[in-house]
Structures are given as structure tokens and as C-alpha cells.
Amino acid sequence: MANYRDRRVGQEILREVNDILRKRVRDPRVQDITITDVRVTGDLQQATIYYSLLSDLASEQTKAQQGLDKAKGLIRKELGQRLSLYKTPELIFEKDESIQYGNHIDDLIRKLNQGE
């Protein structure tokens, strides 16, 4: 049962953080960020929020991470108001590397198909 609950809370956080980033955070560094996954610990104390970025540039990724870290307080406060949880989890933002890997595979397949 607990496992289902943390997944459900994760989905809620994913939806809300995407919404908060679009509507509440005015920082241009986070404009092109999409939240792709959220993993919540079983005790709901901590949420690791995975995000992807349109740009592959390292400088853009650094800026995005800085923007997210700066907005963390606002995002957590907003989440606290939106979620019906006793305590809002601690937030950790991490870049979703799996998306980049998927894009890399897509590129390789595209190049293979062009070679035919």
C-alpha cells in the first residue's frame, strides 16, 4: 500500500511542479524545463525530481540547475499549499539522463536509416 502511495504522491508532485514552473516561476533559466519523473521516498520525506531540458549545451544545463535551486523554496511552498500532505517533502532536482540517452539512440537510428 505504501508503495502505491509514494507513486501517487510522485505523480501529483510531477503534475504540480510542471504547473508551478510554467505559471509561478518567473526565472528564464527554467522556461524550457520539463519534469519527467519524480521518485518519492517511502516515508514521503524526500522527492527527487528529474527534469529534461531542450538544450544539450552544458552552460544551459548549469543555468537550469541554478534556476531550479533558486526556485526550490517557492516550488516547495507552492507544493505545500497544493498537496494534502502532513509535511512537504524535501526537494532534490536532478537532470534526467535517460532522455538524453534516448535521444542519442534516436539519432543513431536516424543516421542508420539515412545510410540505406
Side-chain angles (χ1 to χ4, degrees):
M1 186 68 184
N3 195 2
Y4 167 73
R5 182 159 182 248
D6 53 357
R7 267 208 311 271
R8 188 180 51 87
V9 169
Q11 287 303 308
E12 252 180 278
I13 291 174
L14 186 146
R15 197 176 52 240
E16 296 298 349
V17 173
N18 268 322
D19 190 60
I20 293 166
L21 284 174
R22 298 225 172 353
K23 296 181 181 158
R24 303 281 294 124
V25 180
R26 294 277 169 257
D27 190 330
R29 294 176 293 188
V30 302
Q31 292 305 298
D32 296 333
I33 286 173
T34 303
I35 304 303
T36 55
D37 195 16
V38 177
R39 306 245 169 85
V40 184
T41 53
D43 57 6
L44 305 181
Q45 293 291 302
Q46 204 174 58
T48 304
I49 300 174
Y50 295 90
Y51 66 92
S52 73
L53 200 56
L54 288 177
S55 169
D56 280 341
L57 292 175
S59 59
E60 293 295 322
Q61 292 172 14
T62 304
K63 281 187 204 159
Q65 185 69 49
Q66 289 168 344
L68 286 170
D69 290 340
K70 186 170 175 285
K72 197 182 283 187
L74 168 73
I75 294 170
R76 193 162 177 240
K77 190 169 146 247
E78 282 279 325
L79 273 178
Q81 292 164 358
R82 296 173 182 214
L83 300 175
S84 50
L85 290 177
Y86 173 67
K87 184 177 181 291
T88 309
E90 208 49 63
L91 305 181
I92 298 162
F93 286 98
E94 270 187 39
K95 186 162 181 309
D96 187 343
E97 301 295 350
S98 68
I99 296 234
Q100 212 165 358
Y101 180 72
N103 289 344
H104 178 64
I105 299 296
D106 289 345
D107 286 343
L108 290 176
I109 292 170
R110 211 171 300 122
K111 285 177 186 151
L112 277 175
N113 289 338
Q114 286 168 353
E116 287 177 10

